[in-house]
Amino acid sequence: MRDSYGRKINYLRISVTDLCNLRCRYCMPKEGISQVHHDDILTIEEIGKIARIFTSLGVDKVRLTGGEPLVRKGIVDLVKRIGQLEDIKDFAMTTNGILLRKYARDLKKAGLNRVNISLDTLNENKYAEITRGGRLSNVLRGIEVAKEEGLTPIKINTVLVGGFNDDEIEDFIRWTEEEQIDVRFIELMPMGEAVGFNSKYFISNQLVLDKVPTLIKVERVDKSSPAIYYRVPNGKGRVGLINPISCKFCEDCNRVRITAQGKLKLCLHSNEEIDLKEALMNGGDIENVILNAIKEKPESHHLEDGKYIWKDMYRIGG
Ligand code: SAM
Ligand code: SF4
């Protein structure tokens, strides 16, 4: 599939739920979310069907996300359905890791290739603070089990929050020196709940390079990856910088998203949505709906002009 700017679209990110077992301060309101009616959420069968249609149209990379994908009932069944699709070359999940210890083995058996784990601090108290109550030890154990089960290469996603974790940049980087793990620093994006939070706590990823000037840039193999990778000399893993604000990567964008309610989002930072669930229920020609929608994918986001979206990340699938 190509959009009207000639970009090849081969990557589908599927949010399997809006729900989450954490309440990260930049992502979710502290009171949690307003419940969406069960019937408005894509069923496991519908998600499987949508994934199959996308792969028949050229998608070969799928990521499950949320909300927290591991709180979705039937998640292992869904992984199995998608894992069986022949054309998929890369099948991954983004998770907060809290339940990974319980699920890693079944996920691997069901066909998942690898996991990205979100972790903003290596300090137990700070972890409880940013997630409003999460336990760091659960995540660290989850990472170990994921490694043992071969859900690799493991990538850690760390959102930089000014005055909160900028003093831990070197600790995260040291991790990549000692282990074959990638740590990716992500700039806080202004959206939903985070618009206010962001203006107070945003820091540019440039700080990482300022703090650790010995980082060596790694040749970019996958142009569509939003991360620019570095390595410490002789480091086993890599350090990634994802800079949606200070250095946007729209021209190489290869992805679209499906929300838990079955809305197709052509750009993370656009409010435009195409209702695939309705099209599915009405027996519509989903292939055509998707192909026509892809042509409408925007050329780029406009965060730099203050054009923010109103949805939080957990409702889109980060
Ligand atoms: N619950 C899972 C997790 O935390 O990995 C998957 C969903 S979460 C929305 C996906 C990623 O989005 C996480 O790494 C999270 O830190 C990131 N995220 C959430 N809100 C963000 C924001 N406003 N700016 C940048 N990253 C954000
Ligand atoms: Fe939940 Fe992930 Fe959002 Fe944290 S970032 S509240 S873990 S969805």
Side-chain angles (χ1 to χ4, degrees):
M1 279 186 292
R2 295 232 174 231
D3 71 5
S4 51
Y5 300 96
R7 293 172 296 194
K8 186 174 166 193
I9 308 302
N10 67 328
Y11 182 13
L12 177 66
R13 296 174 70 107
I14 307 173
S15 173
V16 299
T17 179
D18 285 348
L19 301 176
C20 187
N21 45 1
L22 297 179
R23 297 279 180 275
C24 299
R25 288 176 188 271
Y26 49 76
C27 179
M28 275 220 181
K30 67 169 171 290
E31 60 280 6
I33 63 160
S34 46
Q35 278 283 355
V36 179
H37 197 273
H38 188 255
D39 293 347
D40 294 333
I41 298 286
L42 286 176
T43 63
I44 295 294
E45 292 74 21
E46 285 170 335
I47 301 176
K49 186 168 179 190
I50 287 176
R52 183 162 47 73
I53 294 170
F54 269 94
T55 55
S56 75
L57 294 173
V59 160
D60 58 10
K61 191 173 171 184
V62 173
R63 173 175 300 277
L64 301 182
T65 178
E68 172 48 40
L70 294 180
V71 303
R72 173 75 199 244
K73 220 169 149 197
I75 187 70
V76 176
D77 176 23
L78 176 62
V79 168
K80 209 172 189 172
R81 285 169 194 255
I82 298 178
Q84 281 167 354
L85 298 174
E86 274 179 14
D87 296 324
I88 296 186
K89 295 196 191 112
D90 186 20
F91 183 22
M93 177 183 285
T94 300
T95 168
N96 60 32
I98 294 282
L99 294 171
L100 207 44
R101 177 186 184 176
K102 176 174 170 198
Y103 282 111
R105 173 164 291 190
D106 290 344
L107 293 172
K108 182 70 189 180
K109 262 209 255 163
L112 191 73
N113 299 138
R114 60 192 182 89
V115 283
N116 286 14
I117 298 153
S118 305
L119 183 58
D120 300 332
T121 172
L122 298 169
N123 174 291
E124 182 85 55
N125 293 334
K126 282 166 77 178
Y127 187 78
E129 185 193 331
I130 195 83
T131 59
R132 296 193 182 98
R135 286 188 59 185
L136 176 66
S137 53
N138 288 334
V139 185
L140 297 179
R141 187 68 195 120
I143 294 172
E144 285 314 309
V145 178
K147 267 195 276 180
E148 283 159 26
E149 296 300 336
L151 286 170
T152 52
I154 288 183
K155 294 181 183 171
I156 305 294
N157 287 347
T158 304
V159 174
L160 273 185
V161 180
F164 174 75
N165 60 3
D166 36 347
D167 59 338
E168 293 187 65
I169 289 173
E170 287 98 331
D171 298 335
F172 275 108
I173 291 180
R174 204 164 303 120
W175 201 1
T176 71
E177 206 172 335
E178 293 154 8
E179 281 193 48
Q180 213 173 8
I181 207 160
D182 289 351
V183 172
R184 297 148 20 117
F185 293 103
I186 303 173
E187 284 179 349
L188 193 56
M189 288 183 268
M191 51 202 300
E193 179 92 340
V195 169
F197 191 92
N198 169 277
S199 57
K200 250 168 117 182
Y201 300 108
F202 173 83
I203 38 174
S204 160
N205 261 339
Q206 179 60 38
L207 185 66
V208 176
L209 298 174
D210 293 344
K211 284 208 175 214
V212 188
T214 49
L215 284 173
I216 303 159
K217 206 168 189 173
V218 176
E219 202 190 332
R220 207 162 173 208
V221 190
D222 179 4
K223 256 188 88 186
S224 65
S225 164
I228 300 168
Y229 281 105
Y230 298 79
R231 223 183 258 285
V232 289
N234 301 319
K236 291 187 180 153
R238 297 179 301 173
V239 177
L241 301 186
I242 301 182
N243 313 330
I245 312 293
S246 65
C247 171
K248 63 195 224 183
F249 34 77
C250 303
E251 76 185 47
D252 294 319
C253 186
N254 64 341
R255 62 200 60 193
V256 292
R257 294 174 155 80
I258 305 279
T259 69
Q261 283 90 33
K263 306 282 198 297
L264 173 62
K265 282 190 77 77
L266 301 163
C267 169
L268 176 60
H269 299 288
S270 159
N271 284 317
E272 291 298 315
E273 296 179 338
I274 295 106
D275 197 338
L276 289 189
K277 181 161 174 83
E278 194 180 83
L280 262 183
M281 288 190 328
N282 294 339
D285 181 351
I286 308 289
E287 279 89 346
N288 252 325
V289 173
I290 294 170
L291 287 171
N292 286 331
I294 295 293
K295 291 191 197 122
E296 303 298 320
K297 185 171 162 68
E299 186 175 14
S300 71
H301 71 62
H302 296 284
L303 291 175
E304 66 279 18
D305 304 329
K307 293 197 177 138
Y308 307 143
I309 61 163
W310 43 265
K311 263 192 180 175
D312 291 303
M313 196 72 120
Y314 71 89
R315 293 184 58 209
I316 303 169

